[in-house]
Amino acid sequence: MTGRLITFEGGDGAGKSTQIARLADWLGGLDVPVVCTREPGGTTEAEAIRGLLVSGESDWDALTEAMLHYAARREHAEKRIRPALAAGTWVLSDRFFDSTVAYQCYGQGVAPEDEAVLRRLAIGALRPDLTLLLDLPVETGRDRARGRQKSRYEEMNDELHLRVRAGFLEIARREPERVAVIDAGKDPDSVAAAVQAVVAGRFGLS
Ligand code: TMP
């Protein structure tokens, strides 16, 4: 039995890491073997690329930026995700390729055809079995981030973040069988319950 790949997406401040931990606990309680990981990152090499993208101050060309995300994603897919799935482990990833479509294509203007070329080259046919989009108004995400150190992306302007949110919602509209939209404005317990309901329904767990 191969494992399942479940990805969490959404703007900054949507509570993805909290919800991933909650889902991992719940799946663990059902004796499902789980690993949690993140993008950009998830391996030593991909975490090194993350440092360039997330905490650096560089002003990358947008296609270069997408290529760096895909370089990190290939490392992650080859060394972490595929081996775990082959061993029957479920992989919960904080972000995956929908983030590149939302941030680099919708947000920063990379052509969708170029993203498709990079995706095929980097990860072939690897696709999430399920994507949970934690959706939140941009202002709410910004309020939640107040007081802590911001990443390079969080420092970007509201117009970009509005395009990113619209991009994520458009992906969900186009692929309703893969992407479930969760209202991340609710309290963490309600969001966790909504996430569990979707996962239970999709994979026949209870
Ligand atoms: P996070 O781990 O705090 O979510 O930060 C990762 C940041 O990287 C986030 O602001 C979104 C951005 N990002 C992209 O722009 N493109 C991508 O493909 C990925 C995976 C992340």
Side-chain angles (χ1 to χ4, degrees):
M1 232 322 240
T2 60
R4 305 280 185 203
L5 174 58
I6 302 177
T7 60
F8 283 70
E9 298 283 2
D12 300 287
K16 290 181 280 84
S17 20
T18 305
Q19 293 304 326
I20 287 173
R22 298 279 300 255
L23 182 62
D25 278 353
W26 183 71
L27 289 171
L30 298 173
D31 289 332
V32 174
V34 177
V35 294
C36 300
T37 184
R38 70 169 182 181
E39 289 203 345
T43 71
T44 307
E45 293 75 10
E47 290 288 338
I49 298 174
R50 179 188 177 91
L52 299 173
L53 285 162
V54 175
S55 35
E57 290 193 353
S58 319
D59 182 20
W60 302 106
D61 163 79
L63 182 57
T64 308
E65 191 153 336
M67 289 167 130
L68 286 170
H69 278 292
Y70 267 108
R73 184 160 301 129
R74 178 172 174 80
E75 288 291 320
H76 189 212
E78 291 300 306
K79 297 182 183 160
R80 189 115 196 253
I81 299 177
R82 289 188 198 277
L85 295 175
T89 302
W90 291 37
V91 178
L92 310 186
S93 184
D94 187 339
R95 301 192 181 280
F96 197 52
F97 59 54
D98 295 311
S99 280
T100 309
V101 176
Y103 283 83
Q104 278 66 55
C105 296
Y106 284 91
Q108 299 179 304
V110 168
E113 306 80 60
D114 289 345
E115 189 278 334
V117 170
L118 295 177
R119 189 190 299 185
R120 195 160 44 246
L121 184 66
I123 61 167
L126 184 63
R127 298 281 175 277
D129 295 288
L130 173 66
T131 297
L132 296 149
L133 170 56
L134 302 192
D135 179 56
L136 196 67
V138 169
E139 319 78 70
T140 316
R142 188 173 288 286
D143 286 348
R144 287 185 184 179
R146 199 154 283 151
R148 66 169 168 77
Q149 200 182 354
K150 293 191 181 52
S151 73
R152 189 171 69 87
Y153 290 96
E154 288 172 299
E155 296 286 5
M156 291 178 183
N157 61 41
D158 276 0
E159 286 69 37
L160 176 130
H161 290 285
L162 289 168
R163 290 197 299 277
V164 167
R165 184 187 186 202
F168 276 129
L169 289 170
E170 177 63 18
I171 294 168
R173 200 187 60 73
R174 283 201 209 138
E175 295 184 69
E177 66 299 331
R178 173 173 71 84
V179 184
V181 182
I182 307 277
D183 178 358
K186 301 219 170 91
D187 63 280
D189 286 348
S190 306
V191 178
V195 166
Q196 281 171 25
V198 170
V199 173
R202 193 64 61 99
F203 301 112
L205 302 170
S206 56

